[in-house]
Amino acid sequence: MSDGEDSSTAGGQDGTVTATEQEQQRPPLTGRIYYLLGGTLPSTYRAWISHDLTGSGWRTRQAARPVLLMAPFAVIFALLPGAIAVRATVVAFLLVSGAGLGFATSGYFRNRRLEQHGFPPVLAVEDDDDE
């Protein structure tokens, strides 16, 4: 990775962590699953969390979380008896709506997860009032 990819940190945090240090502090699979489900990781993974929530591709990673959480339900609906077209439509609806909701709410949930791990929010959450 280039240094430009890793220079994005949350709200002016110390940007001296290199890419190799971030890879060394990557949580184990169980920790990443816990993080995916909304859990708070220990402070030893702060650099990895900061890169995950502020590095390039953060919006795609945030949008993928609801799709991954919706996948078991899509499998269950795909295995239920019924017409193939109906089952395929339900599975497609679940996955597409999960992706849409993920992209629509990615900024809000990124700020929530940043605050959850002790970082300042990147974007101010504003009420969407059309006057």
Side-chain angles (χ1 to χ4, degrees):
M1 286 188 213
S2 69
D3 291 332
E5 291 176 354
D6 299 318
S7 63
S8 297
T9 57
Q13 298 294 324
D14 187 10
T16 60
V17 177
T18 63
T20 57
E21 288 173 338
Q22 283 184 358
E23 292 298 303
Q24 291 173 355
Q25 295 297 324
R26 187 176 185 177
L29 180 61
T30 55
R32 283 180 276 165
I33 292 172
Y34 179 67
Y35 175 75
L36 170 71
L37 295 174
T40 303
L41 293 177
S43 62
T44 55
Y45 302 116
R46 280 181 65 85
W48 183 83
I49 294 166
S50 174
H51 178 70
D52 181 54
L53 295 173
T54 61
S56 61
W58 71 268
R59 188 173 302 273
T60 305
R61 287 189 298 273
Q62 285 295 111
R65 286 185 173 101
V67 175
L68 292 175
L69 294 174
M70 194 71 70
F73 297 102
V75 169
I76 290 171
F77 279 108
L79 296 176
L80 289 176
I84 296 288
V86 172
R87 291 186 289 166
T89 303
V90 169
V91 168
F93 174 76
L94 288 174
L95 297 178
V96 169
S97 65
L101 287 171
F103 277 110
T105 61
S106 60
Y108 171 78
F109 282 110
R110 174 175 76 157
N111 285 336
R112 183 181 114 1
R113 292 176 70 83
L114 283 168
E115 289 175 353
Q116 176 183 3
H117 287 92
F119 294 106
V122 174
L123 301 173
V125 178
E126 300 176 6
D127 293 334
D128 196 17
D129 293 334
D130 293 329
E131 296 180 19

